[in-house]
Amino acid sequence: MIDSRLDALFTTWRGEQAIEFVDRSAPDARAWSTWRDLARVRDALARALSDRSVPGDAAVAIVMRQRPVMVAAELGAMSLGRTALLLSPLQADRALAVEVDSLRAAVLVAHISQWDRPAFADSVASSGALGLALSD
């Protein structure tokens, strides 16, 4: 049911504002993402999963850095009928790597900056998960 409601937002409200983001490095610069922007992330996620023949019942693990693109990934996964497993980027490198190893997720989505953490990137590679990097 949630997937059909999200689909309606992605299609019916495409031009409407969805997420307001204030970057801490420039607090006076506010940026809005529209439902169209979020739909683009969902569509890219759907293509990546399809291109790599990821089974329809496979969950998508997402490292939830506070960026609009990561919220879009979560909403996109749910709109595709996927279970979204959310991980905190605030963990120490080793703790996050252990969590990635224990999840055994088929897909792991993270902001591009997350992949600079060697323990994280190594744990995703050794897990065999499909690793997807998103940028703003």
Side-chain angles (χ1 to χ4, degrees), residues 51-91:
D51 290 351
R52 289 157 184 91
S53 302
V54 176
D57 61 349
V60 176
I62 304 168
V63 181
M64 287 301 296
R65 189 167 283 286
Q66 293 182 355
R67 309 293 297 180
V69 71
M70 301 316 300
V71 175
E74 178 185 2
L75 296 175
M78 291 189 304
S79 78
L80 296 171
R82 304 283 182 152
T83 298
L85 305 172
L86 307 182
L87 290 78
S88 171
L90 302 177
Q91 301 177 69

Side-chain angles (χ1 to χ4, degrees), residues 58-130:
V60 176
I62 304 168
V63 181
M64 287 301 296
R65 189 167 283 286
Q66 293 182 355
R67 309 293 297 180
V69 71
M70 301 316 300
V71 175
E74 178 185 2
L75 296 175
M78 291 189 304
S79 78
L80 296 171
R82 304 283 182 152
T83 298
L85 305 172
L86 307 182
L87 290 78
S88 171
L90 302 177
Q91 301 177 69
D93 285 354
R94 182 72 185 128
L96 183 56
V98 167
E99 187 170 10
V100 167
D101 291 339
S102 69
L103 282 177
R104 294 192 173 108
V107 180
L108 203 138
V109 181
H111 190 267
I112 195 161
S113 63
Q114 194 69 35
W115 296 94
D116 292 337
R117 297 172 69 177
F120 170 75
D122 291 347
S123 67
V124 174
S126 68
S127 75
L130 168 62

Side-chain angles (χ1 to χ4, degrees), residues 19-30:
I19 299 172
E20 181 182 23
F21 180 71
V22 179
D23 192 332
R24 289 186 182 145
S25 64
D28 292 336
R30 295 179 182 274

Side-chain angles (χ1 to χ4, degrees), residues 33-57:
S33 297
T34 64
W35 284 104
R36 179 179 293 113
D37 299 327
L38 276 60
R40 285 186 193 119
V41 174
R42 186 250 342 241
D43 295 345
L45 178 60
R47 277 191 306 278
L49 299 177
S50 175
D51 290 351
R52 289 157 184 91
S53 302
V54 176
D57 61 349

